[in-house]
Amino acid sequence: MQIRKIRESDARAFLHLQKGLDRETTFMLLEPGERKESVAETVQRIREILAADNSTLLLAEDRGELVGFLAAFGGRVRRNGHVVSLVVGIRQAWTGRGIGTRLLEAVEAWARQQGIHRMELTVMTHNERALALYQKAGFQIEGTRRDALRVENTYVDEYDMSKLLVEERGNVEQNG
């Protein structure tokens, strides 16, 4: 099992991974068939992520097959540039093998190197496995987004969760 940064050449396999996740779990945002992005559009999205200092996309690869990912999208303006929003997806057949833990450890190491202060994510309140993973990694629940999603004609609550990488608060020195 290897955790690595995405490359442009991964676009087709990454799109296949995302579509597979859309089909096999209701815990991802998009429903089966809803993802309309082409391989060329995926390449462009990867380029944009790789060009940003405060964004990254990590892949979990097992014997040449992509089995999971963690995307960290950085804020786009000065006031939120220190924040990354995370999206995690792991194929069901590979859950429970420590991949989520390894992805979160890798993104945290990257975030600290980039000077990121806050990592945040949302998780459906009934996704107990993911909730346990995030709490084990040091994320805390900040609030509940009631009826945030509609999944299979049922409204679902989400937790807002975050992890601060630097415990000090207050004034920070700004560059530029």
Side-chain angles (χ1 to χ4, degrees), residues 112-131:
R112 289 182 184 281
Q113 190 174 43
Q114 297 305 115
I116 300 298
H117 177 73
R118 175 186 166 92
M119 297 189 303
E120 60 188 23
L121 54 84
T122 61
V123 60
M124 294 179 198
T125 58
H126 66 283
N127 189 346
E128 295 174 7
R129 179 176 250 167
L131 183 59

Side-chain angles (χ1 to χ4, degrees), residues 88-156:
V88 181
I90 300 169
R91 296 295 302 260
Q92 293 299 300
W94 282 269
T95 60
R97 299 184 188 189
I99 295 170
T101 298
R102 291 184 57 198
L103 284 166
L104 287 169
E105 289 170 350
V107 80
E108 183 171 334
W110 166 85
R112 289 182 184 281
Q113 190 174 43
Q114 297 305 115
I116 300 298
H117 177 73
R118 175 186 166 92
M119 297 189 303
E120 60 188 23
L121 54 84
T122 61
V123 60
M124 294 179 198
T125 58
H126 66 283
N127 189 346
E128 295 174 7
R129 179 176 250 167
L131 183 59
L133 168 68
Y134 300 142
Q135 289 176 321
K136 182 178 87 171
F139 285 78
Q140 296 179 349
I141 296 172
E142 293 185 325
T144 302
R145 301 178 61 225
R146 298 178 306 136
D147 292 352
L149 301 171
R150 190 173 67 207
V151 179
E152 298 176 339
N153 292 320
T154 301
Y155 289 104
V156 174

